[in-house]
Amino acid sequence: MIYPKSLIIAVFVSFFIVFAQACGGDDTADRTSGQAETAEAGLSEFELEHGVGPITERIELSDEFDPELVEKGRNIYEMKCEMCHNMEGRMVGPALGDVMERRSAEFVMNFILNPSGMVREHPTGQELLREYMTAMPYQNVMEDEARAIVEFLREYNELN
Amino acid sequence: MTNNKSKTLRGLFLGAGFIAIAAFIFTGCPSQQRMLDTGDAAQKVYVAPGEHDEYYGFFSGGYSGQLSVWGLPSARLLRVIPVFSQDPETAYGYSEETKPLLETSYGFIPWDDSHHPHISQTNGDADGRWIFINANNTPRIARIDLTTFQTREILEIPNTGGNHASSFVTSNTEYVIGGTRFSIPYEEDLDVPIDSYSDAFRGALSFIAVDQQSGRMELDFQIIVPPYNYDLGRAGKGPSSDWVFFTTYNTEEAHTMLEINASRNDKDFIAAVNWRKAAELVRDGHGRTMPGEFYHNYYAGKQGYAVNDVKNGVTVLDTREIDEDFIYYLPTPKSPHGVDIDPTGEYIVGGGKLATVIPVHSFSRMLEAIENGAIIERIDGIPVLDYDSTIIGEVENPGLGPLHTEFDGQGYAYTSVYISSEIVKWSLETFEVVDRIDAYYSIGHLLITAGDNVNPEPRYMVGLTKTAKDRYLPTGPKQNHPAQLYDISGGRMQLLKDFPTIGEPHYAQAIRADKIVNQVAQIYEMEENDHPHAIRRIADNRVERDGNVVRIFMGSTRSHFRPDNIEGIRVGDTVYIHLTNFEQEWDVVHGIAIKGANNTELLVAPGETKTIKWEPKRTGIYPFYCTAFCSALHQEMQGYIRVSAADSDVQLTWRTGTN
Ligand SMILES: [Cu+2]
């Protein structure tokens, strides 16, 4: 398509003004340094407690551990998580041996399924990123696999 | 800006022809540098930061041996895929996984000359599953997978000298074709006097079958033909889908000073091969097995080491031994170079390199001629059809040295013209030139978006030229080859952009990005890693010794290796470092480089395992580090290997994280 140059310039100029405003001051600060108040304001109560991501409802957990699910979770954990997390003591990321005491199952699943969203939008995620200075990657884990990892972490927490 | 030098040259070449062309001046002749208003041209090639191009362009690297990938119309270089030449950047041809790909019956070959990339087709349109490309020098065909953009397979072609007429596919990728440029003594390693050419030398046309699921190639059969030079080939389309066409030159059978000796005959041939019939003859047992060693190299699984499958012998059909006709010679003026089939499958266009016209044969007339027995002679059993019975048009005033033709699907053909350095557009109805435009300088192939498909897309054309001279800032006596992007969506061709490329962009193809983009892999999935030396759990990182062979099973993630402290390696050991990248995030790559290693770095994509062989020659502490800037703590991603004397008793140990 061919537009007259004056029109293009006009469009450019107006874009520039909009962007210049958008780029000034507070807005950027929110996104990069993550001011908790502003971010919190945008999150629902569920999200504040259970994280942002594909898990938007409470899931059912029974008191008994499903051994098959635990085994599946262990295999995925050893392949896709263990190089960054210890059960005890800090490594690339925080220790996960007691994470099921600190966090809800939904929170952990959202962290696995949406790590970049969590560190961008969730106050706890923002804090963790500031502390660990490496962004946890999405490890190509499906929802049922994240559920299995939760089962494995729950059992570990129980036994240790 | 016009170019005086090229104008003068053209004046000289065209001479009297110029007067005739001048008659067309108002319909667009002679050719000229015609550009849109600079601003409009810039807008047409402008793709905003973060936006994607409309087309993928796959440009052969010519004497670089590789295949480069470009975004069109912006002409941004997206990637260079190593194919026939070693690439230290990616360790292609250096890593243990890829070294077998470059093995041949002549041993390991680190280089070749890659000419004609061709995208796999379904019903005559490019489908984006694979792209094939030929090695010209030591005859081979490679298959690149267009999900990972990785060379997956290389097949050597026996009985061939210069696999130039390759690697074009048939309409449904049933076959990839090959043809010998040099005729050679056809029994393996025949040691004969060169002047026994006409008796002892023969040509071979190759038919490589493609498995539709895996893409795996297999040399199905070869046709043994008279000792000419077989130059280029193309498959038919639609009604002519069962046929492939090869050009020949040197029907004079010269073996020295071809420049003169192979340019004597008025006409050479286009060979029309009914491949379906040939394949049936092979199935019915009309072939015989000719000995000949050749290598077939491929990955048997998703990952791991490429394997060498060494073959012995190929089925051949010899026209002198078979009564049935399945190949015909169509006389075609003066050393034709390209042979290109129009989108309807009816017109067979020859690029009469030394001819004064572009000859166009008709496929339906060819069938009639065969039916009516319009045969003027037989050469080694091959019927030669009468020129007048197959020809349907001759395009006059095409310029000097017409080579290759592509199509826009709207009734026009575009032919590259080497000596007068231009592209001519002509009508498939009137066979008259309607437009012409300059090329900078000396054009070889050209591409039109989907321009060799049944359904071409009349958007862009790229001219692939052979010398840059004054086009860009000078960079010494040898400069990179240029390419020019033209807009063909309007009535007349318009130059949009002129850009330098990689190696020699010999031929190229463009496919609409939306045909490929959704299939492109972002990671190698850990679950599917079938490399025999991968580690699938980081806890399995370890070092094993077996005699003098030490294997380091190492894992990487941002920002560390495991293990990263290794002791107990000895001078005289052969050390294999198997590095598995545990990342599962797109484009997070880790590398490894070891001080003093007589090899390359490794670059390992997410979820991939790669191996480098290291033979330390001196004792000492060897630092190693990650070559990919993978994270904020990239500079911390390092380790040490201790190498002791051959007779030392330092225990083999490895660790991570315990200071
Ligand atoms: Cu790294």
Side-chain angles (χ1 to χ4, degrees), chain B residues 347 357-362 365 387 390-395 431:
Chain B
Y347 296 126
V357 296
I358 300 172
V360 183
H361 297 281
S362 149
R365 295 197 69 200
Y387 180 68
T390 60
I391 203 80
I392 189 149
E394 290 180 340
V395 182
F431 301 109

Side-chain angles (χ1 to χ4, degrees), chain B residues 7 25 47 57 93 99 109 206 237 285 309 311 367 429 447 501 522 525 552:
Chain B
K7 284 257 151 72
I25 259 178
V47 178
K99 268 156 56 178
I109 297 185
S206 303
K237 306 179 170 94
D309 200 351
K311 300 281 171 61
L367 291 185
E429 216 164 276
L447 83 80
T501 63
Q522 301 192 335
E525 299 199 7
I552 302 176

Side-chain angles (χ1 to χ4, degrees), chain A residues 78 80 83 91 137 139, chain B residues 527 537 558 562 584-585:
Chain A
E78 288 176 345
K80 296 188 164 183
M83 59 280 199
M91 223 233 297
Q139 286 287 80
Chain B
E527 291 86 346
R537 311 175 328 146
R558 69 200 95 166
R562 267 192 238 200
Q584 288 288 273
E585 186 180 333

Side-chain angles (χ1 to χ4, degrees), chain B residues 556-561 589-591 626-631 634 637:
Chain B
S556 67
T557 195
R558 69 200 95 166
S559 309
H560 62 274
F561 295 104
V589 173
H590 295 292
C626 173
T627 46
F629 208 115
C630 54
S631 70
H634 159 69
M637 191 160 178

Side-chain angles (χ1 to χ4, degrees), chain B residues 123-125 171 235-241 340-349 405-414 428 448-457:
Chain B
N123 297 325
D125 284 328
S171 279
K237 306 179 170 94
S240 55
S241 306
D340 297 286
I341 316 303
D342 88 306
T344 67
E346 164 65 7
Y347 296 126
I348 305 156
V349 180
T405 303
E406 296 224 339
F407 306 89
D408 66 5
Q410 304 192 318
Y412 295 100
Y414 301 69
L428 284 160
I448 284 175
T449 39
D452 79 325
N453 289 186
V454 165
N455 294 295
E457 292 155 17

Side-chain angles (χ1 to χ4, degrees), chain B residues 218-238:
Chain B
E218 188 196 352
L219 180 51
D220 195 21
F221 62 92
Q222 292 186 314
I223 303 173
I224 299 299
V225 284
Y228 309 148
N229 291 37
Y230 294 82
D231 202 2
L232 270 167
R234 282 282 186 177
K237 306 179 170 94

Side-chain angles (χ1 to χ4, degrees), chain B residues 556 579-581 588-592 602-610:
Chain B
S556 67
L579 180 61
T580 300
N581 180 355
V588 181
V589 173
H590 295 292
I592 186 169
L602 280 182
L603 267 193
V604 191
E608 194 182 23
T609 302
K610 276 190 175 174

